[in-house]
Amino acid sequence: MNWLELLGWVGSAVLVWSLLQTRVLRLRALNLIGCLILIGYNAAIPVWPMVGLNVVLAVINVWHLRGMLATRHDEATYQVVEVGVGDEFLAHTLRVHAADIARFNPGFRWPPAEPTDGAGDRSAFLVLRADEVVGVVLAHAEARGVAQVDLDYVTQRFRDFTPGEFVYRRSRLFTDRGFRRVVSPPGMVAPYYHRLGFHREGDAYVLDLPHPPVTAPA
């Protein structure tokens, strides 16, 4: 097997591997790499119909990647919807993703136990992209204006993104409730909070929230 034939096999393998990805950003990136390798391989043979096919596929991948990267922090693309903790659709979402949730939040239990030691006021938020659920954030109130996050889950397709930012930083969902700090879930695997401005305190990540502006009396 010469180096050119090896290049063709590598490109084909990367292309197949890309189709096995559950994360949409990673799928597009790997698929683009595979297409570029196969463009070079087919141009060297030469097999021009395959060059044309892979050029078209590469352009499609670039178009999708550009759109995903351009909108990953866009409030118009991702919406946060508050639901009740007893909401049936929330319960359905948690059931569907239960196994995956347990991988990254092994200490999470649902439904929650009755609040103790002053904990209560539970909140539930769904992060949506159009009509697709891409994330779930569940939290409850602790003393001294602390919002303790019980679950911060991102679905597999969007795990290369940070939809939680729309709950923590791009909205006033916590500050309007009088919270001054947000604390990450205990025991969460592969936390991403350092990308959202949280700082490490012991085993948790903490976000200090800005005080809401004081409105002068009329």
Side-chain angles (χ1 to χ4, degrees):
M1 180 184 297
N2 58 36
W3 69 269
L4 188 58
E5 188 177 352
L6 179 61
L7 182 67
W9 281 111
V10 169
S12 298
V14 172
L15 207 62
V16 171
W17 186 31
S18 73
L19 298 177
L20 298 176
Q21 304 303 309
T22 56
R23 302 186 185 189
V24 63
L25 182 63
R26 188 173 299 181
L27 183 154
R28 289 293 179 185
L30 288 173
N31 201 274
L32 175 60
I33 293 171
C35 288
L36 294 176
I37 294 173
L38 290 175
I39 288 171
Y41 169 72
N42 286 293
I45 296 180
V47 181
W48 300 115
M50 295 304 296
V51 170
L53 172 63
N54 283 284
V55 166
V56 172
L57 293 177
V59 170
I60 292 172
N61 282 313
V62 168
W63 185 81
H64 279 288
L65 283 168
R66 181 178 177 276
M68 284 186 284
L69 294 174
T71 60
R72 67 188 305 175
H73 303 295
D74 184 12
E75 290 183 81
T77 302
Y78 297 91
Q79 292 82 40
V80 178
V81 177
E82 183 174 8
V83 297
V85 293
D87 184 84
E88 286 296 328
F89 184 70
L90 171 64
H92 171 74
T93 302
L94 295 176
R95 283 195 300 269
V96 168
H97 299 281
D100 196 43
I101 289 173
R103 288 178 55 210
F104 294 93
N105 298 267
F108 176 71
R109 297 292 181 269
W110 191 262
E114 289 298 320
T116 58
D117 300 327
D121 292 332
R122 297 189 178 273
S123 302
F125 307 100
L126 298 178
V127 184
L128 307 177
R129 188 178 189 274
D131 61 350
E132 180 178 6
V133 176
V134 303
V136 180
V137 175
L138 305 175
H140 70 266
E142 294 281 359
R144 299 180 181 178
V146 173
Q148 173 63 61
V149 180
D150 300 303
L151 175 67
D152 184 344
Y153 174 71
V154 179
T155 59
Q156 291 184 356
R157 276 170 41 81
F158 291 87
R159 198 153 291 152
D160 292 320
F161 301 87
T162 56
E165 72 176 278
F166 300 101
V167 177
Y168 304 123
R169 299 182 64 92
R170 298 291 184 106
S171 71
R172 300 180 61 181
L173 295 173
F174 289 101
T175 56
D176 284 352
R177 289 166 167 77
F179 291 113
R180 297 292 173 261
R181 306 188 96 198
V182 179
V183 180
S184 65
M188 182 178 178
V189 177
Y192 64 98
Y193 296 102
H194 58 283
R195 289 187 270 170
L196 301 181
F198 283 68
H199 62 273
R200 192 74 178 260
E201 286 192 9
D203 295 331
Y205 288 86
V206 176
L207 177 66
D208 293 310
L209 299 172
H211 289 259
V214 178
T215 304

